[in-house]
């Protein structure tokens, strides 16, 4: 086996992640090209026929020799050899392009824009395959926006049903023919190209919208999210429009804040009345030595904006209590509880019940950690609240603070990151949040354990038919 270079021509580079050459290990030309095809499926389909032969419009050379003058795909290669893929190019010949489009029109059925609009209303998926810059000028309402370069990578996740009708649209109706042909090759049975593309759709007065788009810097920053079909452009825009409140800028709030900001949560509110102390720095990683003595909310904002300047940070430099909790919680979608005392936990729980907000709970003690989501206001499937799990706080001797009992510095990092994961899931509507489940982490044993608990129908705050009883003196309640 030898290490050889395969050179990718410009027309095929979009199917090889933009690479101009790729290094592979192989004994023959065929093995080298097959390895390349396994790495880049779209490229492989453009080099090989389904039967595994090199397509007739592609030539392959080793050095300056056409492999057809040697042993074809069985031509041996040695280390340092260069394999060049040379497809036929038309040089922009209108006649050749028109012949190709005419051939495609014989294979791919076309529909008029008004017919496509009616089919979309009946359940067909309208796929806009134009690039982001084009879509920014308008796109049909409820269209699935998958640029041509990502179509093959994402379509099977976005539309798993091969029998579902697909309507493919570009600007003028040419690129959509190529895209429709590719969808048919992937196994989709009912595919149409929209004649005249978006220009004709718009000229005929059919409904469209000006979708909010990511600019070039955002597409670069969130590129790994955009590759995920579960997130994509629409999910990233949803994150950018989200509002999350972190109560506490300490051990739990630090990693949660940093990762939510990195993920692109557009507005992060932070509640904390304290200042940075040197003893915080063992676990509160959002702060630094140079910010000792400064308010924690200001220190956190400086760190967040250094990481992602597009995030809006709203500061609430005050102690959370019954007099200000309603005003502070207003306008947020998710509350992340990063506090370290029971009075604050019960207040946050009760306020989240009142405002029907999910409460992403985290707690640490020495080598142990807990994560859950308390959400009695969950639409369609109400979950338990913190009081359902812990109707009353433990006596002080069983629950000393971190300042009294200590905590392993990395523990809040583990739990705070899990809180961030749950928050992103909630914002995007993904997966199964930890509602009615407590995730317990024992660091010494290296073990996670999931514990299930039910909503208490008689809970004074979230029980069936219970009216919100109001806030209480939480300090007195927690003293017993």
């Amino acid at each position: 086996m030898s290490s050889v270079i395969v050179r990718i021509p410009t027309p095929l580079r979009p199917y090889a992640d933009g690479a101009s050459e790729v290094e592979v290990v192989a004994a023959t030309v065929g093995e080298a090209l097959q390895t390349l095809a396994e790495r880049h499926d779209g490229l492989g389909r453009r080099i090989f026929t389904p039967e595994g032969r090199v397509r007739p419009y592609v030539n392959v050379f080793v050095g300056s020799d056409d492999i057809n003058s040697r042993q074809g795909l069985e031509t041996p290669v040695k280390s340092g050899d260069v394999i060049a893929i040379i497809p036929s190019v038309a040089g922009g010949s209108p006649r050749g392009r028109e012949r190709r489009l005419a051939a495609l029109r014989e294979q791919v059925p076309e529909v008029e824009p008004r017919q496509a609009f009616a089919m979309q209303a009946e359940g067909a998926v309208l796929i806009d395959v134009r690039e982001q810059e084009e879509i920014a000028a308008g796109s049909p309402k409820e269209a699935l926006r998958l640029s041509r370069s990502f179509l093959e990578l994402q379509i099977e996740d976005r539309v798993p049903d091969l029998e579902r009708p697909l309507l493919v649209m570009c600007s003028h109706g040419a690129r959509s023919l190529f895209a429709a042909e590719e969808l048919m090759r992937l196994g989709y049975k009912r595919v149409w190209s929209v004649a005249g593309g978006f220009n004709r759709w718009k000229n005929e007065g059919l409904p469209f919208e000006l979708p909010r788009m990511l600019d070039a810097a955002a597409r670069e920053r969130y590129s790994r999210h955009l590759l995920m079909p579960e997130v994509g452009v629409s999910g990233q825009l949803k994150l950018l429009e989200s509002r999350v409140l972190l109560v506490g800028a300490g051990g739990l709030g630090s990693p949660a804040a940093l990762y939510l900001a990195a993920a692109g949560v557009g507005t992060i509110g932070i509640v904390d009345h304290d200042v940075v102390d040197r003893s915080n720095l063992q676990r509160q990683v959002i702060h630094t030595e140079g910010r000792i003595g400064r308010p924690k909310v200001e220190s956190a904002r400086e760190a967040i904006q250094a990481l992602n300047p597009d995030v809006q940070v709203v500061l609430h430099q005050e102690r959370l209590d019954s007099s200000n909790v309603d005003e502070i919680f207003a306008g947020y979608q998710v509350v992340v509880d990063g506090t370290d005392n029971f009075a604050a936990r019960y207040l946050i729980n009760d306020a989240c019940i009142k405002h029907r907000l999910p409460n992403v709970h985290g707690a640490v003690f020495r080598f142990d950690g807990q994560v859950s989501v308390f959400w009695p206001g969950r639409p369609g499937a109400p979950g338990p609240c913190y009081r359902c799990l812990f109707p009353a706080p433990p006596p002080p001797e069983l629950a000393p603070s971190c300042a009294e009992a200590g905590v392993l510095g990395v523990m809040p990092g583990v739990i705070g990151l899990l809180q961030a994961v749950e928050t992103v899931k909630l914002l995007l509507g993904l997966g199964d949040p930890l509602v009615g489940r407590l995730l317990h982490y024992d660091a010494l044993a290296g073990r996670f354990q999931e514990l299930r608990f039910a909503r208490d129908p008689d809970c004074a705050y979230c029980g069936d038919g219970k009216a919100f009883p109001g806030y209480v003196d939480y300090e007195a309640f927690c003293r017993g």
Side-chain angles (χ1 to χ4, degrees), residues 72 352 428:
C352 283
L428 295 179

Side-chain angles (χ1 to χ4, degrees), residues 172-193:
H172 300 283
R175 277 177 292 168
S176 58
L177 288 167
F178 291 94
E181 178 192 37
E182 194 60 45
L183 291 172
M184 294 166 72
R185 286 178 181 168
L186 289 173
Y188 288 92
K189 305 294 193 301
R190 306 168 69 191
V191 185
W192 292 263
S193 173

Side-chain angles (χ1 to χ4, degrees), residues 281-412:
L281 303 183
Q282 166 249 17
R283 63 201 176 281
Q284 299 181 20
V285 294
I286 206 167
H287 310 301
T288 66
E289 179 83 14
R291 298 201 287 271
I292 289 174
R294 290 178 55 188
K296 285 186 177 180
V297 291
E298 292 182 5
S299 173
R301 176 172 61 184
E302 185 172 324
I304 288 171
Q305 294 189 332
L307 175 65
N308 189 346
D310 294 334
V311 174
Q312 180 184 3
V313 184
V314 181
L315 305 186
H316 304 277
Q317 189 182 343
E318 51 193 311
R319 183 187 294 274
L320 191 71
D321 60 34
S322 302
S323 67
N324 61 18
V325 66
D326 289 332
E327 180 181 358
I328 290 175
F329 277 29
Y332 290 102
Q333 297 166 265
V334 178
V335 174
V336 179
D337 181 358
T339 59
D340 62 357
N341 66 88
F342 288 106
R345 292 195 186 283
Y346 282 98
L347 171 61
I348 291 168
N349 175 78
D350 298 351
C352 283
I353 293 171
K354 180 179 179 180
H355 294 273
R356 305 184 66 81
L357 295 172
N359 171 13
V360 182
H361 166 82
V364 293
F365 178 76
R366 292 184 176 171
F367 296 94
D368 284 19
Q370 301 173 357
V371 186
S372 189
V373 176
F374 302 111
W375 196 7
R378 184 185 191 187
C385 75
Y386 184 70
R387 289 178 181 270
C388 295
L389 182 62
F390 300 115
E397 64 270 17
L398 294 182
S401 68
C402 292
E404 297 169 312
V407 62
L408 186 68
V410 296
M411 280 299 301

Side-chain angles (χ1 to χ4, degrees), residues 171-243:
S171 293
H172 300 283
R175 277 177 292 168
S176 58
L177 288 167
F178 291 94
E181 178 192 37
E182 194 60 45
L183 291 172
M184 294 166 72
R185 286 178 181 168
L186 289 173
Y188 288 92
K189 305 294 193 301
R190 306 168 69 191
V191 185
W192 292 263
S193 173
V194 180
F198 179 69
N199 283 4
R200 186 171 168 188
W201 178 285
K202 183 177 178 180
N203 290 338
E204 293 187 8
L206 295 172
F208 69 94
E209 60 188 0
L210 298 176
R212 183 184 174 194
M213 305 300 295
L214 298 173
D215 60 23
R219 290 199 300 274
E220 182 179 7
R221 178 183 289 273
Y222 305 116
S223 61
R224 300 307 185 268
H225 273 176
L226 304 186
L227 293 172
M228 300 174 64
E230 298 87 352
V231 184
V233 173
S234 60
Q236 190 60 56
L237 289 170
K238 188 179 291 186
L239 289 176
L240 290 168
E241 294 165 356
S242 297
R243 297 177 59 87

Side-chain angles (χ1 to χ4, degrees), residues 30 54 70 143 155 278 308 378 393 455 474:
V54 175
R70 295 173 65 176
I155 185 62
R278 185 169 281 110
N308 189 346
R378 184 185 191 187
R455 184 163 164 261
Y474 291 93

